[in-house]
Amino acid sequence: MKVLVLGNGGREHALVWKLRQSARVSKVYCAPGNGGIGDEAECLPVDLKSLASMVGLGERIRPDLTVVGPELALTLGVVDEFTRRGWPVFGPTKAAAQLEWSKGFAKEFLQRHRIPTAAYAICDSVEEVRAALPHFHLPVVVKADGLAAGKGVVIAASKEEAASVAAEMFSGKMVGAAGTRVVLEEFLKGDELSFLVLSDGERVAPLAAAQDHKRIGDGDTGPNTGGMGAYSTADIVDDKMRDWLVNHIAKPVVAGMKAEGAEYKGVLYCGLMMTARGPMVLEFNCRFGDPETQPILMRLESDLVDALEASIQGRVDEEDFEWSGDAAVCVVMASGGYPGSFEVGKNIVGLDAAAGMEGVKVFHAGTSKRGGEFYTAGGRVLGVSARAADLETAVGRAYGACEKIRFEGARYRKDIAGRALKR
């Protein structure tokens, strides 16, 4: 079968890498892909901001399965259009993806269906923000309502800072159109957890859990990013907690969306905070996370194609997945200046040496390839990933690989999975 992956990041490289392992797959396309993906799939040009461009690509290649990577394509309704044409496509419809593209909708949905989440206020002006702030303890979380590539969240230490951040969001200078509405949210303490499930609109099957590291600096300091690293182990959540999350969060979300006329098929990424009051929903993503996908798929032993088809065809079952007991970790190597302004076009060396290490796989995110050489082409450049029998060894392998890779301005956190190792 021919498989098309839409996207150009580290998540899409991991999906291409895993899909190629299926005995059922004869050809993998990735559109538009990146420098590293081009070594494992045929990369085709497409404008991910244009629904017509994506539909036109589908018309040309007629894939047997399409996997949608980035959130913007879902927001534009690519799943709706591919489905209308009879092309099998994995992911939620535009209406279902509103769980991600509107934080305000997600918060109100959670409240309607009594799913645990932080206290919040939805504001349409700076005046409304100032009126709501007295109801929140400090620090307070300020979120842009729309899609902001993981950068529309600020933890404000004072009410003055919160109002200032909100004003910058409303102005469009900070996150563009994503900030036309702002959500204030109670700050929650605890450990974050990325809990992903596969849904067919009615049933759900949990994937391996992971933990992301969103801030740019060691010790969770500095601004939020799209994600600086993640790890996955068999014991992040025990069986009892996993069942609780399925029955009290994932299933109620899927059932609630169906009841509201927006059947949810695809991956549902529940971003949780494990607090002293119990698990609380921070956000939803309506696609595979990045960089969580990299370590999660490194632990997947079964055929990914079979599982994705089960979601499309309405026959999801937890038995669709077989997981390794090994640990896996991904360390993101980023351009200097990220998540602010940064330069591209820096030559990357040492990739072959890193890839030759035991248990290591380097996923490309923001790279291009010219004349056989790789160059930086984005903020998050590489997802240096490793798998091993235990987390400490996996972390050591990933950082050992990072030390072999060099490009001007390279930066990466040195404490991915650090808290887990201390425990």
Side-chain angles (χ1 to χ4, degrees), residues 42-118:
E42 181 178 345
C43 292
L44 300 172
V46 74
D47 182 357
L48 294 173
K49 298 179 181 179
S50 166
L51 184 57
S53 178
M54 291 183 282
V55 170
L57 175 62
E59 288 280 8
R60 290 196 299 277
I61 65 174
R62 296 297 178 101
D64 299 302
L65 171 65
T66 297
V67 183
V68 185
E71 59 271 32
L72 180 58
L74 297 171
T75 299
L76 293 174
V78 69
V79 170
D80 307 64
E81 290 301 316
F82 275 42
T83 301
R84 189 164 65 84
R85 288 165 171 79
W87 305 335
V89 56
F90 176 80
T93 62
K94 179 178 180 178
Q98 193 173 356
L99 280 172
E100 176 169 8
W101 59 260
S102 174
K103 291 183 176 64
F105 171 84
K107 295 296 290 190
E108 291 174 332
F109 174 88
L110 288 164
Q111 185 177 54
R112 284 195 299 275
H113 294 279
R114 299 182 179 180
I115 299 168
T117 190

Side-chain angles (χ1 to χ4, degrees), residues 99-154:
L99 280 172
E100 176 169 8
W101 59 260
S102 174
K103 291 183 176 64
F105 171 84
K107 295 296 290 190
E108 291 174 332
F109 174 88
L110 288 164
Q111 185 177 54
R112 284 195 299 275
H113 294 279
R114 299 182 179 180
I115 299 168
T117 190
Y120 70 96
I122 300 172
C123 304
D124 293 304
S125 67
V126 177
E127 290 71 27
E128 289 186 10
V129 169
R130 292 189 182 279
L133 279 170
H135 300 286
F136 290 86
H137 294 292
L138 294 174
V140 60
V141 183
V142 185
K143 294 183 174 181
D145 178 66
L147 299 176
K151 301 165 196 169
V153 179
V154 175

Side-chain angles (χ1 to χ4, degrees), residues 130-336:
R130 292 189 182 279
L133 279 170
H135 300 286
F136 290 86
H137 294 292
L138 294 174
V140 60
V141 183
V142 185
K143 294 183 174 181
D145 178 66
L147 299 176
K151 301 165 196 169
V153 179
V154 175
I155 300 172
S158 68
K159 294 178 180 178
E160 293 74 16
E161 182 187 2
S164 176
V165 167
E168 196 170 358
M169 287 182 177
F170 284 126
S171 74
K173 296 178 182 177
M174 185 173 181
V175 288
T180 54
R181 211 177 195 199
V182 165
V183 177
L184 297 181
E185 194 172 84
E186 169 194 11
F187 177 78
L188 298 176
K189 293 182 180 180
D191 285 335
E192 287 195 42
L193 179 72
S194 300
F195 187 72
L196 285 69
V197 300
L198 197 71
S199 171
D200 62 9
E202 184 174 345
R203 289 161 290 273
V204 302
L207 280 66
Q211 187 173 75
D212 188 15
H213 298 65
K214 289 194 177 299
R215 294 210 177 185
I216 187 66
D218 290 355
D220 292 324
T221 57
N224 271 343
T225 70
M228 292 302 295
Y231 73 94
S232 176
T233 62
D235 58 358
I236 287 185
V237 292
D238 59 28
D239 291 348
K240 185 177 180 180
M241 176 55 72
R242 181 194 61 193
D243 291 345
W244 192 96
L245 296 174
V246 166
N247 291 316
H248 291 84
I249 295 178
K251 283 185 176 178
V253 170
V254 171
M257 292 300 288
K258 185 173 183 178
E260 295 189 11
E263 186 179 57
Y264 193 99
K265 290 187 173 185
V267 162
L268 177 66
Y269 170 125
C270 306
L272 309 175
M273 185 68 79
M274 309 300 282
T275 76
R277 289 147 52 193
M280 311 278 276
V281 177
L282 295 175
E283 64 176 359
F284 293 114
N285 291 336
C286 295
R287 32 75 193 184
F288 286 100
D290 191 345
E292 295 96 333
T293 301
Q294 291 85 310
I296 287 175
L297 291 186
M298 289 192 82
R299 293 187 56 220
L300 180 62
E301 296 287 321
S302 50
D303 192 318
L304 181 60
V305 172
D306 292 344
L308 301 188
E309 284 192 334
S311 170
I312 296 169
Q313 297 169 4
R315 49 179 180 82
V316 160
D317 190 294
E318 191 168 348
E319 299 302 317
D320 292 335
F321 296 100
E322 295 177 16
W323 301 100
S324 166
D326 286 358
V329 63
C330 173
V331 178
V332 171
M333 298 188 72
S335 295

